């Protein structure tokens, strides 16, 4: 017997009878069908809601590539209505190259018979209804419906993202350009391993590494650091590993030998995902700055030296001026006294005093030359001839235990310079060489010609042709610190009382004034060589030495001389000399006094002998200008113990007016007056 159960709640109730079986089965079928239809409707509604609200465009196509559905986002993205896309090939949404290839690509895929996701994460280009194109992200999957294969594509517009990426790339490029221009490079350093784990090309360029280099270990890095800075950098790295701040300035030596100044600064970040503690760092290239600072330091040092020399020169010039006035008085009175003495012993004593006065005059000359206050009297000379004339004097000056040799170039070109200064320079160099050889040795004086061109250019010596005078000794030599100060004024290594420290500085001063250069090279225990370079002259023979004057002193015949001098002692000795020489003298203390006398007595006055700088507001040149303008028949002779006064005089110098330097001897003074009057 068969029993049927009717569904009632959670249990089935048995029903007896054959007649009810068919009705029960039909009822059950209707219930199941209704449930299935409701579930499909729900899924369909849910899917439609998702598609309609999705931001991304969603397109489905059949195996022929024909669009069978789209969501609203597709219309919004591509600008087509649904009716304009459904039933059309999906190529309508692709630009030319992709549209032409799509059908063949799809057919080939279908022939393969392999079911798979045919593309996820592809970035391609889409085409809107208006013909414009844009970047998009396309994810394509395959599904089967009613026994047919279909494809669904999810499309995301990348326009905004690409715009942001482009902006970021531009910003990064600009940041990198800024870093490059500022000389800053970034890097990351691993605290545990001590490796610079990442850096870009600017850092590689700073270290002279290949542009593709990205990492560098600490030993290799330290090997690039300048040996003098290596310990400092190693200590900074060790301190950074212990957690201290990393800040260090150092030099690196590039593969080509060039040096570069760098400044490193780093700070620790929190550990990364791998648990590594990283230090983010920056390196600044200070090379240009350091070069500029060094150049500025050199300039400041040169400026300081120039200012120091100027100050010393002013002091030396002032001392020389006053000293020359004193020497003029001393020398003048000595000469006047010599004419009155007859005892040989007294004359011998006076001669020694006169020699000392002349030595004082030469010392003053050196002071003025060193201070570049004395005006040189250049003439065309031949160094070989000048050296030859001095040989005997030099041999007497150095002693018997020192050998003096010469190596003079034949046919040596002439130079234009002050002959007395050349003589003084040679004597100074030979005396210095002698003092450097207490146990004897050899001094060699050489001459040759030297040219400076692009191949052997020396920044200290302009290009051109020179005559070189060298003095070499085999003495004790100078250590570098002493050599660096050899030409410094008042610097000497000699015992007190044996050197003034003006010898080489005087040589340096006169050579510079002559447009040349003086250099020195020395090695301890091997000797010293000093080279003097003077510009070469090719035209004509050397100037002839002036014709000597007669031993007799020319005298006057009663001519009237207006003597203008503010120093009473100098004025007194000058008056006595003029009286002794047979001239009539009128005295004036200042320039204004002299002009007043000239106004009143110009017809009586034959010549004016005046100091240059005087109180009262008028210089000797002012007096000379007045004379030339108002009493042209009156001759003018000026004198000064400090030639720089000429440049400081209010009135412009007159080239036609001769200047007699103090101190001057009786014979020199007599000849100057005699020549002035045209006798």
């Amino acid at each position: 017997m068969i029993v049927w159960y009717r569904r009632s709640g959670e249990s089935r109730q048995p029903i007896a009878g054959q007649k009810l079986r068919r009705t029960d089965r039909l009822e059950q079928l209707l219930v199941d069908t209704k449930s299935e239809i409701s579930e499909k409707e729900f899924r369909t509604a849910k899917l439609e809601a998702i598609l309609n609200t999705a931001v991304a465009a969603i397109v489905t196509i059949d195996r022929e590539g024909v669009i069978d559905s789209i969501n609203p986002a597709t219309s919004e993205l591509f600008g087509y209505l649904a009716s304009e896309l459904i039933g059309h090939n999906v190529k309508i949404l692709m630009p030319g190259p992709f549209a032409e290839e799509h059908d063949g690509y799809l057919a080939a895929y279908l022939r393969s018979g392999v079911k798979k996701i045919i593309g996820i994460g592809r970035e391609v280009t889409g085409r809107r209804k208006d013909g414009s194109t844009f970047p998009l992200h396309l994810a394509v999957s395959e599904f089967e419906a009613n026994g047919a294969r279909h494809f669904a594509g999810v499309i995301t517009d990348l326009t905004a993202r690409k715009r942001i990426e482009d902006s970021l790339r531009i910003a990064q490029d600009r940041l990198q350009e800024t870093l490059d221009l500022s000389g800053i490079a970034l890097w990351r350093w691993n605290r545990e391993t001590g490796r610079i784990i990442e850096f870009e090309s600017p850092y590689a360029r700073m270290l002279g590494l290949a542009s593709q280099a990205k990492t560098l270990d600490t030993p290799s890095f330290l090997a690039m650091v300048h040996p003098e800075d290596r310990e400092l950098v190693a200590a900074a790295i060790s301190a950074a590993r212990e957690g201290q701040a990393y800040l260090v300035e150092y030099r690196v030596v590039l593969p080509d030998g060039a040096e570069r100044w760098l400044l490193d600064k780093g700070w620790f970040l929190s550990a990364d995902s791998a648990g590594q503690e990283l230090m983010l760092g920056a390196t600044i290239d200070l090379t240009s700055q350091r070069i500029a600072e060094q150049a500025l330091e050199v300039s400041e040092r040169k400026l300081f030296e120039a200012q120091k020399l100027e100050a010393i020169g002013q002091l030396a010039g002032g001392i020389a001026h006053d000293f020359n006035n004193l020497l003029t008085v001393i020398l003048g009175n000595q000469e006047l006294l010599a004419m009155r003495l007859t005892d040989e012993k007294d004359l011998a004593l006076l001669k020694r005093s006169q020699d000392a006065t002349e030595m004082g005059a030469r010392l003053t000359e050196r002071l003025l030359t060193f201070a570049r206050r004395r005006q040189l009297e250049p003439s065309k000379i031949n160094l070989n001839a000048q050296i030859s004339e001095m040989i005997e004097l030099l041999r007497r000056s150095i002693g018997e235990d020192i050998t003096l040799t010469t190596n003079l170039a034949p046919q040596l070109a002439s130079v234009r310079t002050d002959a007395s200064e050349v003589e003084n320079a040679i004597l100074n160099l030979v005396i210095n060489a002698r003092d450097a050889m207490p146990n004897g040795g050899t001094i060699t004086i050489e001459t040759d010609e030297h040219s400076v061109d692009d191949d052997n250019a020396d920044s200290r010596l302009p290009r051109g042709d020179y005559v070189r005078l060298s003095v070499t000794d085999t003495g004790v030599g100078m250590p570098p610190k002493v050599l660096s100060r050899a030409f410094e004024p008042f610097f000497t290594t000699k015992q007190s009382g044996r050197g003034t420290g003006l010898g080489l500085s005087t040589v340096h001063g006169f050579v510079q004034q002559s447009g040349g250069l003086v250099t020195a090279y020395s090695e301890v225990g091997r000797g010293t060589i000093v080279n003097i370079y003077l510009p070469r002259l090719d035209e004509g023979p050397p100037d002839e030495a002036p014709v000597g004057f007669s031993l007799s002193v020319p005298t006057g015949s009663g001519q009237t001389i207006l003597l203008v001098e503010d120093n009473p002692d100098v004025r007194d000795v000058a008056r006595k000399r003029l009286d002794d020489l047979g001239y009539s003298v009128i005295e004036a203390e200042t320039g204004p006094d002299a002009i007043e006398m000239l106004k009143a007595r110009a017809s009586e006055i034959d010549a004016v002998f005046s100091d240059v700088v005087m109180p009262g507001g008028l210089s000797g040149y002012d007096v000379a200008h007045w004379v030339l303008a108002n009493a042209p028949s009156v001759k003018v002779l000026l004198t000064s113990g400090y030639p720089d006064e000429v440049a400081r005089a209010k009135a412009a110098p007159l080239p036609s007016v001769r200047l007699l330097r103090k101190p001057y001897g009786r014979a020199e003074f007599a000849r100057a007056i005699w020549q002035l009057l045209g006798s």
Side-chain angles (χ1 to χ4, degrees), residues 362 366 390 393-395 397-398 420-434 445 469 471 507:
R362 287 196 296 271
R366 292 185 184 181
M390 295 180 64
L393 171 65
L394 296 175
R395 287 202 170 101
S397 302
I398 60 177
S420 63
E421 291 301 335
V422 172
E423 181 179 314
N424 180 62
I426 295 172
L427 183 60
N428 263 299
L429 295 178
V430 170
I431 295 291
N432 285 346
R434 177 201 67 186
I445 302 176
L469 166 65
V471 177
V507 174

Short mmCIF file of all heavy atoms in Angstrom, two decimals, residues 362 366 390 393-395 397-398 420-434 445 469 471 507:
data_model
loop_
_atom_site.label_atom_id
_atom_site.label_comp_id
_atom_site.label_asym_id
_atom_site.label_seq_id
_atom_site.Cartn_x
_atom_site.Cartn_y
_atom_site.Cartn_z
N ARG A 362 121.96 105.52 1.51
CA ARG A 362 121.62 104.30 0.77
C ARG A 362 120.52 103.51 1.47
O ARG A 362 119.64 102.92 0.83
CB ARG A 362 122.87 103.43 0.60
CG ARG A 362 123.85 103.98 -0.43
CD ARG A 362 124.86 102.93 -0.86
NE ARG A 362 125.71 102.50 0.24
CZ ARG A 362 126.87 103.10 0.56
NH1 ARG A 362 127.29 104.15 -0.13
NH2 ARG A 362 127.60 102.65 1.56
N ARG A 366 116.85 102.37 0.05
CA ARG A 366 116.24 101.04 0.13
C ARG A 366 114.84 101.11 0.71
O ARG A 366 113.92 100.42 0.26
CB ARG A 366 117.12 100.11 0.98
CG ARG A 366 118.45 99.79 0.33
CD ARG A 366 119.21 98.78 1.17
NE ARG A 366 120.54 98.53 0.64
CZ ARG A 366 121.41 97.68 1.17
NH1 ARG A 366 121.09 97.03 2.27
NH2 ARG A 366 122.59 97.48 0.62
N MET A 390 130.93 94.60 -11.49
CA MET A 390 130.80 94.42 -10.04
C MET A 390 131.61 93.25 -9.49
O MET A 390 131.67 93.06 -8.27
CB MET A 390 129.32 94.20 -9.66
CG MET A 390 128.40 95.37 -9.93
SD MET A 390 126.70 94.98 -9.43
CE MET A 390 126.90 94.75 -7.66
N LEU A 393 134.25 93.90 -6.75
CA LEU A 393 133.59 94.34 -5.52
C LEU A 393 132.91 93.17 -4.82
O LEU A 393 133.02 93.01 -3.59
CB LEU A 393 132.56 95.43 -5.84
CG LEU A 393 131.63 95.83 -4.69
CD1 LEU A 393 132.43 96.48 -3.56
CD2 LEU A 393 130.54 96.79 -5.19
N LEU A 394 132.25 92.31 -5.60
CA LEU A 394 131.54 91.17 -5.01
C LEU A 394 132.52 90.19 -4.38
O LEU A 394 132.27 89.65 -3.30
CB LEU A 394 130.70 90.47 -6.08
CG LEU A 394 129.55 91.30 -6.69
CD1 LEU A 394 128.87 90.53 -7.82
CD2 LEU A 394 128.52 91.65 -5.61
N ARG A 395 133.65 89.94 -5.03
CA ARG A 395 134.63 88.99 -4.49
C ARG A 395 135.20 89.50 -3.17
O ARG A 395 135.45 88.72 -2.26
CB ARG A 395 135.74 88.75 -5.51
CG ARG A 395 135.30 87.89 -6.69
CD ARG A 395 136.49 87.23 -7.39
NE ARG A 395 136.02 86.24 -8.35
CZ ARG A 395 135.95 86.43 -9.66
NH1 ARG A 395 136.32 87.60 -10.17
NH2 ARG A 395 135.52 85.48 -10.46
N SER A 397 133.59 91.18 -1.11
CA SER A 397 132.50 91.18 -0.12
C SER A 397 132.22 89.80 0.45
O SER A 397 131.64 89.70 1.55
CB SER A 397 131.21 91.73 -0.76
OG SER A 397 131.41 93.03 -1.26
N ILE A 398 132.62 88.73 -0.25
CA ILE A 398 132.19 87.40 0.19
C ILE A 398 133.26 86.63 0.95
O ILE A 398 132.96 85.64 1.62
CB ILE A 398 131.73 86.55 -1.01
CG1 ILE A 398 132.85 86.38 -2.03
CG2 ILE A 398 130.51 87.19 -1.66
CD1 ILE A 398 132.47 85.49 -3.20
N SER A 420 121.09 101.51 -10.70
CA SER A 420 121.53 101.46 -9.31
C SER A 420 120.76 100.40 -8.54
O SER A 420 121.31 99.77 -7.62
CB SER A 420 121.34 102.84 -8.65
OG SER A 420 119.96 103.20 -8.62
N GLU A 421 119.51 100.18 -8.90
CA GLU A 421 118.73 99.16 -8.20
C GLU A 421 119.18 97.76 -8.59
O GLU A 421 119.16 96.84 -7.78
CB GLU A 421 117.24 99.34 -8.50
CG GLU A 421 116.61 100.58 -7.90
CD GLU A 421 116.74 100.61 -6.39
OE1 GLU A 421 116.85 99.55 -5.76
OE2 GLU A 421 116.72 101.71 -5.82
N VAL A 422 119.56 97.58 -9.84
CA VAL A 422 120.11 96.28 -10.26
C VAL A 422 121.38 95.99 -9.48
O VAL A 422 121.59 94.88 -8.97
CB VAL A 422 120.38 96.27 -11.78
CG1 VAL A 422 121.15 95.00 -12.17
CG2 VAL A 422 119.09 96.35 -12.55
N GLU A 423 122.24 96.99 -9.38
CA GLU A 423 123.48 96.83 -8.62
C GLU A 423 123.19 96.48 -7.17
O GLU A 423 123.80 95.58 -6.58
CB GLU A 423 124.30 98.12 -8.71
CG GLU A 423 125.62 98.07 -7.97
CD GLU A 423 126.39 99.37 -8.11
OE1 GLU A 423 126.48 99.88 -9.25
OE2 GLU A 423 126.88 99.88 -7.09
N ASN A 424 122.22 97.19 -6.59
CA ASN A 424 121.85 96.94 -5.21
C ASN A 424 121.28 95.53 -5.04
O ASN A 424 121.56 94.84 -4.05
CB ASN A 424 120.83 97.99 -4.76
CG ASN A 424 120.38 97.80 -3.32
OD1 ASN A 424 121.18 97.87 -2.40
ND2 ASN A 424 119.10 97.53 -3.14
N ALA A 425 120.46 95.08 -6.02
CA ALA A 425 119.86 93.74 -5.95
C ALA A 425 120.92 92.66 -6.01
O ALA A 425 120.91 91.70 -5.22
CB ALA A 425 118.85 93.57 -7.08
N ILE A 426 121.87 92.79 -6.93
CA ILE A 426 122.93 91.78 -7.06
C ILE A 426 123.75 91.73 -5.77
O ILE A 426 124.06 90.64 -5.26
CB ILE A 426 123.82 92.10 -8.27
CG1 ILE A 426 123.01 91.98 -9.56
CG2 ILE A 426 125.03 91.17 -8.29
CD1 ILE A 426 123.76 92.46 -10.79
N LEU A 427 124.09 92.88 -5.25
CA LEU A 427 124.87 92.91 -4.01
C LEU A 427 124.11 92.27 -2.87
O LEU A 427 124.67 91.48 -2.09
CB LEU A 427 125.24 94.36 -3.67
CG LEU A 427 126.12 94.56 -2.44
CD1 LEU A 427 127.46 93.84 -2.62
CD2 LEU A 427 126.35 96.05 -2.19
N ASN A 428 122.81 92.56 -2.75
CA ASN A 428 121.99 91.97 -1.70
C ASN A 428 121.95 90.45 -1.80
O ASN A 428 122.10 89.73 -0.80
CB ASN A 428 120.56 92.52 -1.77
CG ASN A 428 120.33 93.67 -0.81
OD1 ASN A 428 120.46 93.51 0.40
ND2 ASN A 428 120.02 94.83 -1.35
N LEU A 429 121.72 89.95 -3.01
CA LEU A 429 121.60 88.51 -3.20
C LEU A 429 122.91 87.81 -2.91
O LEU A 429 122.93 86.71 -2.32
CB LEU A 429 121.13 88.21 -4.63
CG LEU A 429 119.72 88.71 -4.98
CD1 LEU A 429 119.39 88.39 -6.43
CD2 LEU A 429 118.67 88.09 -4.05
N VAL A 430 124.01 88.40 -3.32
CA VAL A 430 125.32 87.79 -3.07
C VAL A 430 125.63 87.80 -1.58
O VAL A 430 126.15 86.81 -1.03
CB VAL A 430 126.41 88.50 -3.88
CG1 VAL A 430 127.80 88.05 -3.44
CG2 VAL A 430 126.22 88.24 -5.38
N ILE A 431 125.34 88.90 -0.89
CA ILE A 431 125.58 88.96 0.56
C ILE A 431 124.73 87.92 1.29
O ILE A 431 125.20 87.23 2.21
CB ILE A 431 125.26 90.38 1.09
CG1 ILE A 431 126.21 91.41 0.50
CG2 ILE A 431 125.31 90.40 2.61
CD1 ILE A 431 127.62 91.30 0.96
N ASN A 432 123.46 87.78 0.89
CA ASN A 432 122.59 86.77 1.51
C ASN A 432 123.14 85.37 1.27
O ASN A 432 123.11 84.52 2.17
CB ASN A 432 121.17 86.87 0.94
CG ASN A 432 120.40 88.05 1.50
OD1 ASN A 432 120.80 88.67 2.48
ND2 ASN A 432 119.28 88.39 0.87
N ALA A 433 123.61 85.12 0.04
CA ALA A 433 124.19 83.81 -0.27
C ALA A 433 125.43 83.55 0.58
O ALA A 433 125.64 82.45 1.09
CB ALA A 433 124.52 83.74 -1.76
N ARG A 434 126.25 84.57 0.74
CA ARG A 434 127.44 84.44 1.59
C ARG A 434 127.05 84.06 3.02
O ARG A 434 127.64 83.15 3.63
CB ARG A 434 128.22 85.75 1.59
CG ARG A 434 129.45 85.76 2.50
CD ARG A 434 129.85 87.18 2.86
NE ARG A 434 128.84 87.82 3.70
CZ ARG A 434 128.88 89.11 4.07
NH1 ARG A 434 129.87 89.88 3.65
NH2 ARG A 434 127.94 89.61 4.85
N ILE A 445 126.46 83.31 -10.47
CA ILE A 445 125.60 84.33 -11.06
C ILE A 445 125.43 83.98 -12.54
O ILE A 445 126.41 83.81 -13.26
CB ILE A 445 126.20 85.74 -10.92
CG1 ILE A 445 126.44 86.07 -9.45
CG2 ILE A 445 125.27 86.77 -11.55
CD1 ILE A 445 127.13 87.41 -9.23
N LEU A 469 118.06 86.92 -14.48
CA LEU A 469 119.28 87.01 -13.67
C LEU A 469 119.10 86.08 -12.48
O LEU A 469 118.14 86.21 -11.73
CB LEU A 469 119.51 88.44 -13.20
CG LEU A 469 120.53 88.65 -12.09
CD1 LEU A 469 121.93 88.27 -12.57
CD2 LEU A 469 120.51 90.09 -11.59
N VAL A 471 120.89 84.05 -9.06
CA VAL A 471 121.98 83.93 -8.09
C VAL A 471 121.74 82.65 -7.30
O VAL A 471 120.72 82.51 -6.62
CB VAL A 471 122.04 85.15 -7.14
CG1 VAL A 471 123.14 84.95 -6.10
CG2 VAL A 471 122.28 86.43 -7.94
N VAL A 507 114.53 94.27 -3.26
CA VAL A 507 114.66 93.67 -4.58
C VAL A 507 113.27 93.45 -5.18
O VAL A 507 113.01 93.77 -6.35
CB VAL A 507 115.43 92.34 -4.49
CG1 VAL A 507 115.43 91.64 -5.85
CG2 VAL A 507 116.85 92.57 -4.01
#
